[in-house]
Every structure is written in C-alpha cells, then in structure tokens.
Amino acid sequence: MTDSRIAIVDRIYDSDRSEEPFGKRWRDECVTLDAATLAALLQGKILALDVQGEYVIYVRAGEMAGPAGGNPPADSDDARAAGRGSD
C-alpha cells in the first residue's frame, strides 16, 4: 500500500528554500522518536503528534513481517487476547 502523504527522505528539507519532497509548504517541523516510542508503535500503540499547536497527526505501525507474524489489528481476537483490544 502506497500513501502519497508519506515520503522516505535522507535529510530534512527547509520548506522556505526547497519544494522537496511535497512541493511548497508554509511550515515544517521535525519530530524525533526515541526507542521507547518506537517500541510502543511496534506494540500496537498509536502516537498522537501535536503539529505547530494547530493540528494533530496520528501515527500507527502497519503490518509487520517477521518471526512474530506482525501486529494484529487492535480490535482483533488475537489483540484482545494479548491485552491490546479497544474495549
């Protein structure tokens, strides 16, 4: 699944001087995730990011391939059994 709102880039672009990666934007902000926050994502948690004190972006991990078989959706029977249900 491709989401045109997501770009993987090698550096942070200054929105005042560059139109990369999405074209002209009015502002930019960088959020750095630490190991505990990344672990929470991989455990099925959702991050709520405050953007410029005006917007909220929710970030969640997609399906993960690997030995554990990935994270079941939060409302699945497997997730509820693991204590991650939405109840």
Side-chain angles (χ1 to χ4, degrees):
M1 174 171 155
T2 302
D3 187 333
S4 62
R5 298 169 300 165
I6 299 172
I8 298 172
V9 297
D10 292 320
R11 66 184 180 90
I12 297 171
Y13 293 90
D14 181 346
S15 62
D16 289 335
R17 298 175 188 216
S18 174
E19 293 192 11
E20 297 292 334
F22 298 112
K24 178 63 179 154
R25 294 294 190 258
W26 298 110
R27 299 172 92 179
D28 56 71
E29 184 170 342
C30 179
V31 175
T32 301
L33 305 179
D34 61 17
T37 305
L38 288 172
L41 271 175
L42 295 175
Q43 293 170 4
K45 299 294 184 180
I46 298 171
L47 303 182
L49 305 178
D50 179 336
V51 181
Q52 306 281 331
E54 291 188 40
Y55 307 101
V56 176
I57 293 176
Y58 294 97
V59 177
R60 60 183 169 197
E63 290 292 319
M64 303 294 292
N71 293 330
D75 60 351
S76 73
D77 292 334
D78 291 340
R80 280 192 287 281
R84 293 196 342 245
S86 57
D87 299 344

